[in-house]
Amino acid sequence: MTTVQTSTRPAAAAPARREARRPSLLRMIRARAALEIKQFYRSKGQMLLSFSLPLIMYILFSTIFSGDIDGTSVTAGQLYATGMLAMGVAATSFQSLALQVSLERQNGALKRLRGTPMPPTAYFVGKIAVVLVTSLGQAAVLLIVGSAFFHLHLPTGAGPWMNFLWLYALGIAGCSLLGLAFSTLIKGDNGGGPMVVLPFMVVQFISGVFIPFQELPHYLQQVAALLPLKWLAQGMRSVFLPHAYAANEVTGQWETGRTALVLGAWVVGGLVLCLLTFRWKNRDDG
């Protein structure tokens, strides 16, 4: 009698083959980032608002408050360009992420995503990819309009542009992490608009976005010095305004090192807050 031996190798190899067919982390990150960007551009209303609001505000403020800033050769159009650049970074990262992520948590989208094989890293990188695309587009439009119509002088050397890049990177990273952490505080199904927009508007006014920082009351300057937007706006002034304007800063200098230190601290602090507080589902879901 012949004994037929059944090999178990194919069955054992099946899980390995399935594991081998699973997309790599990098591929999943690219796919999620592409999906987030496509969703943003398909939302015509959101895209139009994101690009037009900073530009409209810039044109209005630069036109209404025309002329030179008292005691300087810097025009209002030049000064407001730096403020709007800083505001654009913070708005597209902190404000937009806080609102969008809180809404996705409320409608259960985050909970469903967490139940898929998609790693959390892909989700977060996808969100930050949208922030990068949006804020870079805003910055390009503001710089073009500012240089064409409001006497904004773009730097010609590599040094100022390198400063712009690290300011931009630290600003995006810190404000994005803060937006993700802040989204956990938003409750209810209304998206938390007032809870995010109103405080952010106050922060803009005390951080030198709409009003020259040196004209603010001293106690407001001290409060703003604790927040990243003040330093981001000051850093943008150091890049796009004449060096002589540094005399109008509170300390009479640009404080580039302190700006990097404060923004870097907010990146670390934002990461810690995200790790401690971020939730994929509502508290009511358990």
Side-chain angles (χ1 to χ4, degrees):
M1 181 177 181
T2 303
T3 303
V4 178
Q5 296 182 349
T6 303
S7 175
T8 59
R9 289 182 182 178
R17 288 199 299 269
R18 286 195 295 268
E19 184 68 24
R21 289 196 296 269
R22 184 177 180 178
S24 65
L25 176 61
L26 182 59
R27 183 177 178 182
M28 285 188 282
I29 288 175
R30 288 200 303 264
R32 185 66 198 183
L35 176 62
E36 292 282 354
I37 293 173
K38 287 179 181 178
Q39 289 178 337
F40 171 76
Y41 279 104
R42 286 173 180 172
S43 178
K44 303 300 183 183
Q46 181 184 359
M47 184 181 68
L48 181 62
L49 182 64
S50 297
F51 283 100
S52 63
L53 183 58
L55 180 61
I56 292 173
M57 295 180 70
Y58 175 48
I59 293 174
L60 286 175
F61 274 92
S62 299
T63 303
I64 295 172
F65 302 101
S66 59
D68 294 345
I69 305 299
D70 292 343
T72 73
S73 60
V74 173
T75 66
Q78 293 171 316
L79 182 62
Y80 282 122
T82 61
M84 293 301 165
L85 285 169
M87 184 200 76
V89 170
T92 55
S93 52
F94 171 78
Q95 180 174 278
S96 296
L97 281 182
L99 293 172
Q100 186 176 8
V101 173
S102 65
L103 182 60
E104 291 178 353
R105 184 182 293 110
Q106 297 298 331
N107 63 25
L110 281 186
K111 183 179 178 180
R112 292 190 294 272
L113 283 173
R114 193 68 180 98
T116 68
M118 182 194 72
T121 303
Y123 174 78
F124 295 125
V125 173
K127 292 297 184 187
I128 294 176
V130 175
V131 170
L132 288 171
V133 171
T134 307
S135 57
L136 280 174
Q138 285 181 351
V141 171
L142 287 171
L143 291 177
I144 291 172
V145 172
S147 60
F149 301 102
F150 296 105
H151 311 290
L152 180 66
H153 302 294
L154 302 182
T156 56
W161 287 113
M162 291 299 296
N163 289 340
F164 173 79
L165 289 177
W166 68 255
L167 279 165
Y168 178 83
L170 289 178
I172 286 291
C175 292
S176 295
L177 291 168
L178 288 174
L180 291 170
F182 194 85
S183 70
T184 309
L185 300 177
I186 301 174
K187 300 178 181 180
D189 56 359
N190 61 355
M195 188 176 178
V196 178
V197 176
L198 292 179
F200 183 64
M201 181 63 69
V202 173
V203 170
Q204 291 175 70
F205 272 96
I206 69 174
S207 297
V209 172
F210 302 119
I211 301 172
F213 190 76
Q214 67 274 14
E215 296 182 7
L216 294 169
H218 181 65
Y219 72 93
L220 288 181
Q221 293 178 358
Q222 291 180 314
V223 173
L226 301 174
L227 305 173
L229 184 55
K230 179 267 183 187
W231 297 98
L232 188 57
Q234 182 171 316
M236 292 298 178
R237 291 195 293 272
S238 72
V239 172
F240 295 101
L241 297 186
H243 183 71
Y245 189 83
N248 293 274
E249 299 293 338
V250 175
T251 61
Q253 51 189 337
W254 292 127
E255 299 181 286
T256 302
R258 181 175 294 181
T259 299
L261 184 63
V262 173
L263 291 178
W266 273 107
V267 172
V268 176
L271 179 59
V272 172
L273 286 174
C274 277
L275 294 175
L276 293 176
T277 65
F278 189 83
R279 297 174 61 89
W280 291 90
K281 54 186 178 180
N282 297 317
R283 296 185 185 276
D284 297 337
D285 296 334

